[in-house]
Amino acid sequence: MSEDDRAIARERVIESMEQSAEVYGLSRSAGRIYGVLYFSEEPLSIPELVDETGYAKSTISNVTRTLTRIGMIYRRSSEGGGRRVQYTAEREVWFILQDVFQQYVQREIQTTLRTVQRAQAQLPDDSKNETERIEELRETYEDLQEIVTLASEFTAAELRDALESYDR
Amino acid sequence: MSEDDRAIARERVIESMEQSAEVYGLSRSAGRIYGVLYFSEEPLSIPELVDETGYAKSTISNVTRTLTRIGMIYRRSSEGGGRRVQYTAEREVWFILQDVFQQYVQREIQTTLRTVQRAQAQLPDDSKNETERIEELRETYEDLQEIVTLASEFTAAELRDALESYDR
DNA sequence: CGCTTTGTTCGGTACACTCCGAACAAACAA
DNA sequence: TTGTTTGTTCGGAGTGTACCGAACAAAGCG
């Protein structure tokens, strides 16, 4: 098993992370930067990330900021006392997915639900077309909110177990 | 309760759908077109959708195609025998979310899992850094795949019930 | 057969987004 | 102090996407 083979396998997985990043609304560079940090043994600084990824310093700076904001990587204010900033990856993918879920899906469901509830409050229940539709929407979104809220409190294993053991 | 109030409530909800569409990777126009169809009592043709939404005919044509492809709306080859194509909305929001899930999330998880499995197969288990990381990834993604597969077979109510009644 | 209506396709414009490089700020080293 | 390293910010080039209008195809109606 050569070092080359390991590097190739690593590269494939990182490419896959670039792909996934796009699916989750991030840039390819974000996927690569995360991937490099994911496989790195030690924390990396911005210049080191420039070397590893080939991206410009400014790109690294901007992308690390957003990755830090959404909790995919962590920023440590240097450990040698120097000015260098160090980054490490959150390696629990499940945590990351929960965060993305929370920030995008859950938020979207909540605002939609609020809009629907407000719209419904201003309408009478005279079963006109709009009124019925809005009622249906509200019910669905209340279910959704409950599901997402519960799911975000589970670990992946618990969630899997809950679904596998559920008897209809 | 005036017709105006109803129209205003309707408009608010449709705006919310435009927003949601963007979250799910669709265009705003897709959200509005779906929303108009969602509230419409009868099926609508392309010219009618042009009137209702203000979008250009070509935009309606393109967007209805993609909405039809992903199952958010249905296309009926005219019911008066004429050439007009009629569109109706899928009103079960849960079905739509399942489809989106299936097409985007599930697919992404599957390709990632395949990549990780292939990478792992080419590496020995000598517990080097890359090898460990890839093993962790594989486990997480196997859990994820199982969760998503199971969840996509549930109705919203069942899923909610499964989570609510699960005792850790 | 024209003429109208409907729907698709194609080229173009406007806009947002990604990434780069340069300029700048801040801290350390000599 | 001056020079060097690190990190952020800003302007711009390149690219993709949404949407529009025009041209075109296809079908019904006189």
Side-chain angles (χ1 to χ4, degrees), chain B residues 3-162:
Chain B
E3 194 47 49
D4 265 11
D5 287 343
R6 237 187 295 276
I8 290 173
R10 203 186 82 131
E11 174 62 19
R12 291 240 181 79
V13 174
I14 290 181
E15 278 168 9
S16 178
M17 286 173 170
E18 287 180 334
Q19 191 79 17
S20 302
E22 284 190 319
V23 174
Y24 296 124
L26 298 171
S27 58
R28 293 187 72 80
S29 54
R32 173 155 296 268
I33 291 170
Y34 174 79
V36 167
L37 286 172
Y38 182 88
F39 282 110
S40 171
E41 310 239 21
E42 312 95 25
L44 297 181
S45 66
I46 289 188
E48 287 165 336
L49 282 171
V50 169
D51 283 349
E52 295 281 336
T53 64
Y55 283 112
K57 202 174 43 159
S58 54
T59 302
I60 305 286
S61 173
N62 287 320
V63 174
T64 48
R65 175 147 30 91
T66 76
L67 286 179
T68 303
R69 184 161 45 81
I70 63 180
M72 283 181 67
I73 65 177
Y74 300 111
R75 179 193 175 109
R76 301 203 180 140
S77 296
S78 169
E79 71 179 31
R83 190 168 173 254
R84 282 198 162 196
V85 175
Q86 310 267 41
Y87 291 98
T88 54
E90 166 59 63
R91 291 211 178 83
E92 278 291 341
V93 176
W94 177 249
F95 291 162
I96 294 176
L97 292 178
Q98 278 186 324
D99 283 351
V100 171
F101 225 63
Q102 203 114 15
Q103 290 186 20
Y104 286 79
V105 182
Q106 203 159 15
R107 185 178 152 73
E108 194 267 326
I109 289 176
Q110 262 178 23
T111 58
T112 301
L113 182 55
R114 254 198 299 271
T115 303
V116 171
Q117 283 171 337
R118 234 174 279 152
Q120 196 182 27
Q122 294 172 342
L123 291 179
D125 29 285
D126 58 358
S127 96
K128 270 271 187 175
N129 186 40
E130 277 85 0
T131 314
E132 279 177 47
R133 299 272 176 266
I134 288 177
E135 167 69 13
E136 286 168 21
L137 271 186
R138 190 184 56 77
E139 284 169 9
T140 304
Y141 271 83
E142 277 174 0
D143 275 348
L144 277 177
Q145 196 187 33
E146 177 74 3
I147 289 168
V148 170
T149 301
L150 286 173
S152 69
E153 289 166 2
F154 283 30
T155 65
E158 282 170 344
L159 189 49
R160 178 176 179 168
D161 189 35

Side-chain angles (χ1 to χ4, degrees), chain A residues 130-147:
Chain A
E130 278 85 0
T131 314
E132 279 177 48
R133 299 272 177 266
I134 288 177
E135 167 70 12
E136 287 168 21
L137 270 187
R138 190 184 56 76
E139 285 168 9
T140 304
Y141 270 84
E142 277 173 358
D143 274 348
L144 277 177
Q145 195 187 34
E146 178 74 0
I147 290 168

Side-chain angles (χ1 to χ4, degrees), chain A residues 1 6 20 24 38-39 41 91 108 122 124 129-130 133 143 146 158 160-161 164 166 168, chain B residues 1 6 20 24 38-39 41 91 108 124 129-130 133 143 146 158 160-161 164 166 168:
Chain A
M1 163 56 46
R6 237 187 296 278
S20 301
Y24 297 125
Y38 181 87
F39 282 110
E41 310 239 23
R91 290 213 178 81
E108 192 267 327
Q122 293 171 342
N129 186 40
E130 278 85 0
R133 299 272 177 266
D143 274 348
E146 178 74 0
E158 283 170 345
R160 178 177 179 168
D161 189 35
E164 279 175 344
Y166 181 66
R168 301 179 231 197
Chain B
M1 163 57 45
R6 237 187 295 276
S20 302
Y24 296 124
Y38 182 88
F39 282 110
E41 310 239 21
R91 291 211 178 83
E108 194 267 326
N129 186 40
E130 277 85 0
R133 299 272 176 266
D143 275 348
E146 177 74 3
E158 282 170 344
R160 178 176 179 168
D161 189 35
E164 280 175 343
Y166 181 68
R168 300 179 230 197

